[in-house]
Amino acid sequence: MAARGFLNLAQATEAALIIAAQARDQAAFGELVKRRQGWARALLRRMCSSHAEADDLAQDAFIKAWERLTDLETPAAFPGWFRRIAVTTFLMAKRKQKAIFEEIDDASPIAAEGSTPEAAAGAKIDLEKALAMLSDAERLCVTLNHGEGLSHSEIVEITGLPLGTVKSHVLRGTEKLKRLLEPAT
Amino acid sequence: MNDFDALLKRSFAEAPEPADDGFSVQISRAVAHREKTAKVRNAAYTVGMAAAAAAVCYGAYGLMGLYGQEVLATAGLEVARVHGALSGAPSVGGAAQGMLQSFGAGLTQMLLVFGALAGGAVAYRAAQD
C-alpha cells in the first residue's frame, strides 16, 4: 500500500513514519523497515560471523522495535535507540551460545591467521572477511567504534561491558584488522 | 587520524547491505501475525473475565436464593439484639444520680441520729455534774 490516508508512505519523512508506526500503523512500520533494513543488516552482519544469523537477529530486532516503539520518545532518537536494540539482541543470542565478552584472552590469535591462502599471499582481504577473523567481542567493539562512530564510553553504555575491556577489545581488534587489511609490505 | 583509520572508516561506510524486499515482507508478516495474536489474546482475556464475573454473580445469586432469607433473618435478629443490649446498658450518669439521691435522702436520718446522740451526751454530762 503506497498511500494510507493523508500519509503517502513512499514520500513520508522517517519521523512521520515513526509517529504513524507508534500509532500501530503496520504499513508505516513496513516502510520504515524497508528504509532501515540495509543499515541494520549491515550492522549485524559485521557483528556476526554468519549472514543468516545476522539476518535472523535483524528480524528479531525489528520485531522488538515494533513492540517497544511506544517507548521511543522522539523520532530523531530512532537510529541510536534501534542500534541499542540490535546490540542487545546480538548479545543475548551470543550469551545463549555461551560466548564470553568480558574475558580478554591475550593469547587469542587471529582466527586462521597465516593459514588462509589470501593471508599467505599477502593479498588484501575485504573488511567482512577480516572482521570474521576477530573474536565475537572484538568484532562487536570494533564495529561499534569504527563502523558506528561510538566512543568507548558509549560502547560501555550500550553493551554493559567494563570500560577497560571495551578499550582492550577495540585496540586488539583494530590491530588485527590492520594486519589483515593493510597491503603486505 | 592515520591512513589506516581513514581506510577503516571508508571500508565501514562502503558496505551497506542492498535492500531486500523479502526481508521487509518477512518482518511485515511477522508483525501482522503478532498483532493478530495479540488481538485474539485480548479478546480471549475479555471473554474470560466476563465469564468469570458472570460465574461469580451466578454463584452469589444461587447462594442468596438458598440462604438469603435465613441470613437476613439472623442478621436482623443480631441487629435487634445489639440494639437492645446498647439501650439496656446501665448508664453511669444515672447510677451516679441515684447514689446522690439516696445519699441526700439518708442525710436527714443521719443528722437526726447525730443530733439525738449529741443531745443524749449533753444530757448525760449535765446529769453527772
Side-chain angles (χ1 to χ4, degrees), chain A residues 12 24 39 44 52 61 67 70 103 115 117 120 132 140 154 162 168 181:
Chain A
R24 313 313 285 167
W39 165 68
L44 282 156
E67 284 170 352
T70 44
E103 222 166 67
S115 61
L140 170 70
E154 284 170 325
S168 173
L181 286 171

Side-chain angles (χ1 to χ4, degrees), chain B residues 38 44 64 73 94 108 117:
Chain B
M64 288 304 284
T108 313
L117 283 173

Side-chain angles (χ1 to χ4, degrees), chain B residues 39-68:
Chain B
K39 266 184 194 165
V40 170
R41 201 185 305 127
N42 283 345
Y45 178 78
T46 309
V47 168
M49 288 302 285
V56 168
C57 289
Y58 183 74
Y61 176 76
L63 281 176
M64 288 304 284
L66 274 177
Y67 303 109

Side-chain angles (χ1 to χ4, degrees), chain A residues 12 21 24 31 73 149 182:
Chain A
R24 313 313 285 167
E31 179 65 23
E73 287 176 2
E182 276 193 333

Side-chain angles (χ1 to χ4, degrees), chain A residues 50 112 131 154:
Chain A
S50 127
L131 282 170
E154 284 170 325

Side-chain angles (χ1 to χ4, degrees), chain A residues 24 26 29-30 33-34 37-38 41-42 45-46 55 58-59 62-63 66-67 124 127 131 142-143 146-147 174 177-178 181-182, chain B residues 2-5 7-9 11-24 26-28 30-36:
Chain A
R24 313 313 285 167
Q26 292 178 35
F29 186 70
V33 172
K34 218 181 260 183
Q37 58 147 311
R41 285 166 62 222
R45 280 187 179 194
R46 285 171 193 150
D55 282 2
Q59 191 175 334
F62 274 115
I63 291 168
W66 166 257
E67 284 170 352
K124 186 180 173 186
L127 177 67
L131 282 170
V142 165
T143 301
H146 295 295
T174 309
L177 284 182
K178 195 171 185 176
L181 286 171
E182 276 193 333
Chain B
N2 60 31
D3 287 349
F4 177 69
D5 284 343
L7 168 75
L8 204 54
K9 216 166 251 322
S11 303
F12 269 110
E14 270 171 6
E17 288 302 315
D20 176 0
D21 283 344
F23 181 83
S24 311
Q26 225 170 338
I27 291 177
S28 295
V31 164
H33 177 71
R34 274 176 181 255
E35 286 299 293
K36 210 173 168 182

